[in-house]
Amino acid sequence: MPRKPKLVHALKMIFGVRDAEAAEGFYLEGMWSAEQGNEDAARELFRTAALLDKRFGGARYNFAALTEKRLGASPETIAAWKDYVACAADDSRQPAEIIEKVRRHIADLEAKTARG
């Protein structure tokens, strides 16, 4: 059962206070939840991690991947991938080739959604 953000985490998210340590904890729990097959919980944990650390590209990448798995080529999926790309540019842990691959993937998704 994934843990819910405590009041202190919620306040940090609301006021944009970075808590990289808490973000890492939520991210790791998200990875565990995904491995257990609980993708909805994992998605929320990755979202929480991203809100606690605006520079955490890995959390945004996993959130976008699970969003796409759940919703397919949708505006929400495209927005999640774009959020990853914007964040990843400032996250030295994110490889440039992955960022470029995601940019091409976004273009493919946008073409799919434009066709209907």
Side-chain angles (χ1 to χ4, degrees):
M1 179 86 178
R3 64 188 164 125
K4 302 269 186 217
K6 295 181 180 178
L7 178 59
V8 68
H9 297 131
L11 290 172
K12 287 178 180 181
M13 289 185 283
I14 290 168
F15 292 108
V17 176
R18 183 173 186 240
D19 188 340
E21 192 172 297
E24 184 75 19
F26 281 103
Y27 174 82
L28 292 173
E29 193 164 346
M31 294 297 289
W32 182 83
S33 292
E35 289 171 8
Q36 300 303 311
N38 193 347
E39 293 174 348
D40 288 337
R43 188 171 172 263
E44 287 308 306
L45 288 160
F46 292 135
R47 186 178 71 78
T48 300
L51 289 171
L52 284 167
D53 186 351
K54 303 286 186 206
R55 295 181 254 168
F56 196 167
R60 284 176 167 69
Y61 182 93
N62 288 332
F63 177 81
L66 289 175
T67 299
E68 183 170 356
K69 187 173 182 180
R70 183 171 177 238
L71 301 176
S74 69
E76 187 176 346
T77 298
I78 293 167
W81 282 121
K82 285 182 176 182
D83 184 48
Y84 163 73
V85 168
C87 173
D90 294 329
D91 185 346
S92 62
R93 298 168 291 189
Q94 301 303 306
E97 61 272 7
I98 298 297
I99 298 168
E100 187 53 40
K101 184 177 179 180
V102 170
R103 283 189 177 115
R104 290 190 304 270
H105 183 62
I106 291 168
D108 291 343
L109 289 172
E110 287 176 328
K112 282 182 187 177
T113 57
R115 288 191 296 255

